[in-house]
Amino acid sequence: QVQLVESGGGLVQPGGSLRLSCAASGRIFISNVMGWYRQAPGKDREMVATITRGGATNYADSVKGRFTISRDNAKNTVSLQMNSLKVEDTAVYYCNADISDIGSYRLINYWGQGTQVTVSS
């Protein structure tokens, strides 16, 4: 039993910044790849950024140079620093993680409940 809880969403003007955080809790053995995805109304959910346990990152082309993903393996948390936000960044942002929980020791993919990010002038 693992839960992912996001925080940090809100309303911001174009050019502004927000920092999203996600904390995994429960009987965690180890967390593998963690990341952030987003979904705008009428659109499919898309990958924003991912980070491996070793720190290797991957970003969507649309956010490269503006967003930075980071993690704390000891705390099982992942964050997304979003700078120079654009109107098109408006979406519900979801935390995602592959986690092996104590008991089964097999990797399971988990999703957070989502946090709204609205960029508007």
Side-chain angles (χ1 to χ4, degrees), residues 72-93:
D72 186 326
N73 292 332
K75 296 180 179 180
N76 292 308
T77 60
V78 61
S79 298
L80 184 70
Q81 178 65 47
M82 305 185 293
N83 298 325
S84 301
L85 284 162
K86 304 175 180 180
V87 173
E88 49 263 47
D89 292 320
T90 296
V92 175
Y93 284 70

Side-chain angles (χ1 to χ4, degrees), residues 2-113:
V2 174
Q3 293 186 62
L4 302 181
V5 180
E6 305 104 328
S7 62
L11 174 65
V12 65
Q13 293 186 323
S17 299
L18 282 175
R19 185 177 181 85
L20 305 182
S21 296
C22 172
S25 62
R27 291 177 171 269
I28 301 169
F29 178 66
I30 195 170
S31 58
N32 200 286
V33 176
M34 303 183 81
W36 290 93
Y37 294 71
R38 66 187 181 188
Q39 187 167 24
K43 299 282 188 176
D44 290 332
R45 190 170 298 185
E46 64 175 348
M47 185 274 289
V48 177
T50 61
I51 183 168
T52 68
R53 186 172 182 82
T57 58
N58 187 37
Y59 296 92
D61 289 340
S62 60
V63 307
K64 286 182 178 178
R66 300 189 297 121
F67 292 8
T68 301
I69 189 170
S70 60
R71 66 184 291 165
D72 186 326
N73 292 332
K75 296 180 179 180
N76 292 308
T77 60
V78 61
S79 298
L80 184 70
Q81 178 65 47
M82 305 185 293
N83 298 325
S84 301
L85 284 162
K86 304 175 180 180
V87 173
E88 49 263 47
D89 292 320
T90 296
V92 175
Y93 284 70
Y94 297 90
C95 178
N96 182 80
D98 287 335
I99 296 173
S100 178
D101 56 340
I102 296 174
S104 67
Y105 300 102
R106 84 177 204 272
L107 284 174
I108 298 174
N109 191 66
Y110 293 90
W111 289 96
Q113 81 287 351

